[in-house]
């Protein structure tokens, strides 16, 4: 009898140890996967924090686009031959390049937006009247940039390489003369999308996402809270309520692209709202997150001790007063957590935005809820689809950005939770 | 000062009250009158319907969807289940203190001030403060909390929390106070304090208390009603119930043979 007991205890302990080990292994495995993901994206993306620039001195004749009292004339500055000015100066660094074809190749190692970039620099500087020589740093082309970062190896046969031997020689010569180097890629954080990787930035997509999520939260949160209160406290139990309940749960499981189609047919076709706008994107994502927030809100309303509500009702508060004055404030942490989870889901959502045209190529940072915009996941989707290697590293960096935003949102959720939590 | 219960004015009169929870009948045809400015105790074993009956008196059962009530409950000769009576208004006149102390997780001041605020009993802050202070005084709490009105009510001891709940009920100037086992979560000292308080309050309020403690019923109430399985078995002066009960079941219950 005693020995049996011993064996029994021992085998029970063995099972316990084994299950504990399984649990630990699962956690380690998922952490390992997460770490692998983040590290591989990080290794691909960190180089996008830098961009290859070259230093160049360019003569400008300010009198051609400034008025007598020193103001820049808009129509004249746009007519000025900025591309030619930059190219001519760049040619002077390589005087041996003379033929039209060779010059064309030479200019391909600098960004094709150099003229525009230089114009923007000139606009910001107050120039003396007459001729001046400006020394500025401008972007090299994305291929030269990738070569300097060691991502385009010389070992690859020339015909398979995006940068020719001659171009490599020119870039090397710039580096030797110490007038080409990798510098912090400010453009990535201050610009919107561009066809040229060296001019492309994430800001447009970040602002687009922020505008979209603003609409989403303004639209979804009040609706979800009101719906939850009604369902919890006012709806008479019965077939209709059951039907609504089942459908809210169903709605949470509907593929997101369906919401995109809904947005396309309702908001764009029927209501005629502008295409590609954060307003429509926000409404669509709001519809999508509505069930998530409703479910979270109802769960957190139910978790409030009924005694609090009874106390209010017993004092003669109406149902709505009891809910608004007592239950809702106490349920806030749960509601916020649900909302932020819903927002995080919305932030990472791509498919419905494709349907309503937020996949457009937009070179300006959106300025209002109705201007054309794109969102971060869509931007990543578009960049990862591009042929240029430089877009590859940029999409990796953008992914890190997106993940960073998600982490920040979750941190906010934790902080708010802690702040509003009340004990009783 | 109260000599004979039968000649006193009856504040609440229940006539043939039936209560159903869905299919199940919780209370069978109960009629009973509750005297004004008296403490009436409802006793009986668990599930006998005494709490259900108590909650009928301020229509708290309305909150439960499956609950159906028939019969009449008259308060000052008005049927409280009549169409012209708003349960919200009724609950301001018939306050309630619950089994477990349930102060709002707010400051002491806010707890007491909430009722007067929603009913618009104070026109300005100083009036509101007067109401709060006098309610705390009536609840015998003023000396203990007057220096920390802004502290969380949930930080007080259980007995103090329960007296906060009583003060909160008093603050809306009710005529009747219903107490649903107000001392079941409290220690004997806190219980004694609440009982003392009930005694004082019975000068100006009609109090109905549900209790599991026979001693408590005997100590505080003037009249006692014994419920069993949804029936009102016996209703009489407390002295009578505890010394010479007419019904055998009452006898068995108060002597601890069942329940």
């Amino acid at each position: 009898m005693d020995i049996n007991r011993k064996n029994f205890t021992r085998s029970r302990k063995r099972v316990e140890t084994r299950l504990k080990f399984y649990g630990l292994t699962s956690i380690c495995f998922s952490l390992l996967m997460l770490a692998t993901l983040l590290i591989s994206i990080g290794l691909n993306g960190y180089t996008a924090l830098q961009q290859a620039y070259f230093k160049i001195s360019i003569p400008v004749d300010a009198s051609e686009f400034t008025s007598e009292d020193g103001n820049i004339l808009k129509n004249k500055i746009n007519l000025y031959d900025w591309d030619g000015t930059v190219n001519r100066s760049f040619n002077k660094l390589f005087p041996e390049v003379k033929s039209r074809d060779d010059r064309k190749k030479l200019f391909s190692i600098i960004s094709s937006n150099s003229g525009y970039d230089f114009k923007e620099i000139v606009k910001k500087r107050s120039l003396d009247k007459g001729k001046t020589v400006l020394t500025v740093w401008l972007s090299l082309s994305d291929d030269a940039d990738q070569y300097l970062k060691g991502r385009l190896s010389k070992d690859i046969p020339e015909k398979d390489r995006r940068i020719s031997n001659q171009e490599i020689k020119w870039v090397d010569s710039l580096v030797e003369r110490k007038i080409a180097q990798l510098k912090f890629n400010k453009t990535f954080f201050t610009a919107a999308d561009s066809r040229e990787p060296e001019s492309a930035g994430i800001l447009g997509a970040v602002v687009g996402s922020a505008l979209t999520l603003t609409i989403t939260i303004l639209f979804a949160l009040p609706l979800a809270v009101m719906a939850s209160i009604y369902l919890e406290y006012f709806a008479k139990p019965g077939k209709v309520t059951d039907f609504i309940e089942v459908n809210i749960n169903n709605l949470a499981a509907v593929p997101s692209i369906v919401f995109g189609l809904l947005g396309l047919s309702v908001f764009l076709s029927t209501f005629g709202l502008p295409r590609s706008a954060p307003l429509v994107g926000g409404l669509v994502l709001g519809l999508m997150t509505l069930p998530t927030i409703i479910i979270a809100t109802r769960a957190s309303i139910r978790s409030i001790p009924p005694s609090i509500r009874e106390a209010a009702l017993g004092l003669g508060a109406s149902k709505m007063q009891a809910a608004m004055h007592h239950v809702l404030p106490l349920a806030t942490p749960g509601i916020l957590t649900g909302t932020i989870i819903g927002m995080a889901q919305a932030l990472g959502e791509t498919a419905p935005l494709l349907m309503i045209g937020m996949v457009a190529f937009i070179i300006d940072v959106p300025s209002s809820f109705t201007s054309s915009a794109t969102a971060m996941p869509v931007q990543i989707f578009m960049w990862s689809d591009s042929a240029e290697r430089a877009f590859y590293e940029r999409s990796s960096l953008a992914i890190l950005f997106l993940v960073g935003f998600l982490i920040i949102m979750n941190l906010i959720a934790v902080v708010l939770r802690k702040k509003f939590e009340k004990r009783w | 000062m109260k000599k004979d219960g039968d000649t006193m004015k009856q504040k609440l009169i229940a006539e043939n009250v039936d209560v159903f929870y869905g299919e199940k009948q919780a209370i069978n045809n109960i009629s009973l009158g509750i005297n004004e400015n008296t403490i009436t105790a409802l006793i009986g074993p668990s599930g006998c319907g005494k709490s259900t009956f108590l909650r009928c008196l301020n229509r708290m059962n309305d909150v439960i969807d499956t609950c159906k009530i028939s019969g009449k409950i008259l308060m000052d000769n008005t049927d409280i289940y009549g169409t012209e009576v708003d349960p919200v208004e009724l609950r301001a006149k018939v306050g309630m203190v619950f089994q477990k102390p349930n102060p709002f997780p707010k400051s002491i001041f806010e707890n007491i001030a909430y009722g007067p605020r929603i009913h618009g009993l104070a026109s300005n802050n100083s009036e509101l403060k007067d109401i709060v202070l006098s309610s705390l005084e009536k609840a015998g709490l003023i000396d203990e909390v007057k220096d920390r009105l802004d502290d969380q009510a949930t930080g007080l001891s259980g007995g103090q929390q329960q007296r906060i709940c009583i003060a909160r009920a008093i603050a809306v100037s009710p005529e009747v106070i219903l107490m649903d086992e107000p001392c079941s979560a409290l220690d004997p000292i806190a219980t004694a304090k609440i009982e003392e308080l009930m005694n004082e309050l019975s000068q100006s309020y009609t109090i109905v208390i549900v209790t599991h403690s026979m001693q408590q019923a005997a100590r505080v109430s003037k009249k006692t009603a014994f419920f069993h399985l949804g029936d009102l078995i016996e209703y009489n002066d407390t002295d009578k119930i505890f010394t010479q009960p007419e019904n055998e079941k009452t006898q068995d219950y108060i002597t601890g043979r069942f329940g």
Side-chain angles (χ1 to χ4, degrees):
Chain A
M1 199 57 190
D2 257 356
I3 294 176
N4 261 346
R5 192 86 213 142
K6 226 179 200 171
N7 280 344
F8 179 72
T9 314
R10 206 183 298 148
S11 81
R12 209 165 66 171
K13 272 190 182 151
R14 261 204 309 273
V15 171
E16 187 130 339
T17 320
R18 205 167 62 220
L19 286 177
K20 215 161 82 185
F21 174 74
Y22 290 158
L24 198 64
T25 318
S26 318
I27 290 175
C28 289
F29 180 75
S30 34
L31 281 182
L32 189 73
M33 286 296 120
L34 183 69
T36 314
L37 176 84
L38 285 182
I39 289 171
S40 72
I41 295 174
L43 286 177
N44 278 324
Y46 81 97
T47 44
L49 284 172
Q50 287 193 316
Q51 161 68 31
Y53 289 94
F54 66 100
K55 191 173 155 189
I56 189 168
S57 300
I58 308 171
V60 209
D61 187 356
S63 59
E64 289 202 28
F65 50 82
T66 44
S67 63
E68 288 291 306
D69 41 2
N71 290 328
I72 288 176
L73 300 165
K74 255 201 178 150
N75 51 344
K76 290 223 172 130
I77 196 168
N78 289 337
L79 287 176
Y80 195 79
D81 180 19
W82 296 103
D83 285 335
T85 314
V86 174
N87 285 352
R88 274 193 298 279
S89 302
F90 190 61
N91 202 174
K92 278 187 194 136
L93 294 172
F94 299 93
E96 70 280 5
V97 180
K98 290 215 172 79
S99 80
R100 215 181 131 79
D101 275 1
D102 286 349
R103 275 169 58 190
K104 212 172 159 189
K105 274 187 198 143
L106 175 65
F107 300 147
S108 81
I109 72 165
I110 65 171
S111 168
S112 56
N113 284 339
S114 293
Y116 175 81
D117 291 345
F118 183 56
K119 180 180 86 176
E120 291 303 308
I121 292 173
V122 170
K123 270 191 195 168
K124 278 186 202 135
R125 296 216 187 151
S126 50
L127 294 180
D128 297 335
K129 274 183 194 166
K131 289 189 180 181
T132 34
V133 176
L134 284 177
T135 304
V136 293
W137 287 90
L138 293 173
S139 302
L140 283 171
S141 76
D142 55 311
D143 292 331
D145 170 69
Q146 292 298 298
Y147 166 69
L148 279 181
K149 286 173 180 167
R151 291 211 187 259
L152 288 173
S153 162
K154 276 193 240 180
D155 301 335
I156 306 168
E158 192 180 0
K159 65 176 171 48
D160 297 338
R161 216 189 298 136
R162 284 185 59 102
I163 184 165
S164 68
N165 286 340
Q166 179 60 57
E167 286 164 355
I168 286 178
K169 231 184 254 171
W170 285 326
V171 175
D172 285 344
S173 140
L174 286 174
V175 174
E176 251 168 56
R177 283 185 264 172
K178 297 223 160 76
I179 51 172
Q181 67 181 75
L182 292 172
K183 290 174 41 157
F184 178 67
N185 185 4
K186 210 175 114 192
T187 314
F188 185 77
F189 301 97
T190 55
D193 202 7
S194 166
R195 288 278 177 241
E196 305 300 327
E198 65 272 12
S199 309
I202 191 77
L203 185 67
V206 170
V207 173
S209 275
L211 291 174
T212 308
L213 285 189
T214 309
I215 294 287
T216 304
I217 196 164
L218 289 180
F219 173 64
L221 184 59
L223 273 186
V225 169
M226 282 326 202
S228 307
I229 291 179
Y230 186 83
L231 285 174
E232 282 300 312
Y233 293 146
F234 292 94
K236 290 256 178 309
K239 289 226 168 89
V240 180
T241 310
D242 287 349
F243 180 75
I244 292 173
E245 203 148 313
V246 167
N247 275 292
I248 286 173
N249 291 329
N250 278 344
L251 216 55
V254 168
S256 56
I257 189 117
V258 177
F259 286 99
L261 285 167
L262 176 96
L264 178 63
S265 68
V266 175
F267 296 127
L268 296 188
S269 306
T270 311
F271 293 154
L273 292 176
R275 204 163 287 273
S276 310
L279 175 65
V280 180
L283 291 175
V284 168
L285 293 180
L287 286 177
M288 199 192 76
T289 46
L290 205 52
T292 313
I293 306 182
I294 289 180
I295 291 168
T297 305
R298 293 186 67 187
S300 85
I301 285 178
R302 271 185 222 159
S303 73
I304 304 306
S307 65
I308 297 289
R309 182 167 171 257
E310 283 193 330
L313 292 175
L315 277 176
S318 66
K319 277 184 179 183
M320 207 58 185
Q321 282 173 327
M324 298 305 268
H325 296 165
H326 299 287
V327 179
L328 264 197
L330 293 173
T332 309
I335 298 174
L336 281 180
T337 310
T339 309
I340 291 177
I341 288 171
M343 288 298 117
Q345 189 190 346
L347 177 63
E349 200 55 66
T350 324
L353 301 183
L354 302 184
M355 300 308 299
I356 53 147
M358 282 187 86
V359 69
F361 170 71
I362 296 164
I363 54 167
D364 292 315
V365 175
S367 56
S368 77
F369 290 113
T370 47
S371 54
S372 291
T374 188
M376 288 174 77
V378 183
Q379 186 69 77
I380 292 166
F381 167 73
M382 288 194 288
W383 280 349
S384 58
D385 217 24
S386 301
E388 286 87 350
R389 251 202 89 86
F391 270 134
Y392 181 66
E393 60 176 25
R394 276 167 177 79
S395 56
S396 296
L397 188 59
I399 291 169
L400 288 183
F401 236 74
L402 185 60
V403 173
F405 270 104
L406 291 177
I407 292 174
I408 290 171
M409 284 174 82
N410 284 324
L411 279 181
I412 293 173
V414 172
V415 170
L416 287 178
R417 230 194 135 84
K418 280 258 151 13
K419 204 181 151 197
F420 284 103
E421 214 159 48
K422 276 189 180 165
R423 275 180 230 130
W424 58 82
Chain B
M1 87 216 116
K2 288 158 212 157
K3 286 170 219 151
D4 190 1
D6 294 331
T7 58
M8 286 188 62
K9 190 195 164 199
Q10 297 202 314
K11 182 75 182 168
L12 285 159
I13 300 164
E15 286 174 8
N16 308 96
V17 175
D18 290 298
V19 179
F20 294 86
Y21 289 120
E23 295 295 302
K24 197 179 155 278
Q25 186 159 11
I27 284 183
N28 313 319
N29 195 23
I30 282 183
S31 302
L32 116 139
I34 290 165
N35 289 348
E36 192 167 31
N37 295 357
T38 313
I39 303 180
T40 304
L42 310 180
I43 61 169
S46 296
C48 67
K50 57 193 188 303
S51 284
T52 301
F53 180 72
L54 187 79
R55 293 165 70 95
C56 289
L57 299 180
N58 71 340
R59 293 185 64 174
M60 277 301 273
N61 283 331
D62 289 18
V63 179
I64 303 163
D65 292 308
T66 53
C67 185
K68 284 196 188 66
I69 296 151
S70 66
K72 263 191 198 169
I73 295 176
L74 303 174
M75 179 175 169
D76 299 332
N77 299 324
T78 321
D79 186 4
I80 61 170
Y81 282 91
T83 43
E84 72 281 10
V85 174
D86 181 2
V88 168
E89 293 296 321
L90 173 72
R91 287 179 203 139
K93 278 196 220 158
V94 185
M96 189 154 192
V97 177
F98 296 83
Q99 187 170 359
K100 222 182 120 215
N102 57 354
F104 302 126
K106 296 184 177 187
S107 72
I108 294 171
F109 184 88
E110 285 301 318
N111 261 282
I112 318 287
Y114 181 68
R117 238 184 226 144
I118 53 171
H119 293 294
L121 298 183
S123 55
N124 56 43
N125 276 341
S126 71
E127 265 184 56
L128 188 64
K129 192 155 189 199
D130 288 345
I131 294 178
V132 170
L133 291 178
S134 74
S135 306
L136 284 170
E137 198 173 348
K138 281 184 207 156
L141 252 170
I142 190 78
D143 294 331
E144 290 158 71
V145 301
K146 68 170 175 241
D147 299 325
R148 43 181 182 147
L149 289 178
D150 294 326
D151 286 10
Q152 282 283 309
T154 41
L156 297 171
S157 75
Q160 287 172 325
Q161 288 190 18
Q162 195 61 299
R163 281 184 284 151
I164 287 282
C165 294
I166 295 175
R168 185 174 66 184
I170 295 173
V172 290
S173 346
E175 293 158 24
V176 181
I177 302 175
L178 309 176
M179 296 188 174
D180 191 355
E181 297 180 44
C183 302
S184 64
L186 304 181
D187 64 49
I189 295 171
T191 303
K193 274 193 184 157
I194 302 252
E195 285 177 6
E196 199 183 311
L197 172 60
M198 282 162 61
N199 244 326
E200 276 165 37
L201 294 177
S202 67
Q203 315 273 342
S204 34
Y205 302 96
T206 306
I207 296 177
V208 186
I209 176 175
V210 162
T211 178
H212 267 296
S213 155
M214 248 82 65
Q215 292 89 336
Q216 185 170 52
R219 277 195 303 266
V220 298
S221 68
K222 277 271 173 312
K223 298 202 86 170
T224 297
F226 173 61
F227 283 69
H228 183 53
L229 298 176
D231 292 313
L232 176 63
I233 306 292
E234 195 168 343
Y235 178 47
N236 213 331
D237 289 348
T238 302
D239 300 342
K240 281 245 176 73
I241 291 263
F242 282 94
T243 50
Q244 1 166 241
E246 285 164 13
N247 193 295
E248 206 175 314
K249 273 188 194 146
T250 319
Q251 169 85 35
D252 288 351
Y253 183 70
I254 59 170
T255 51
R257 241 167 272 170
F258 79 96

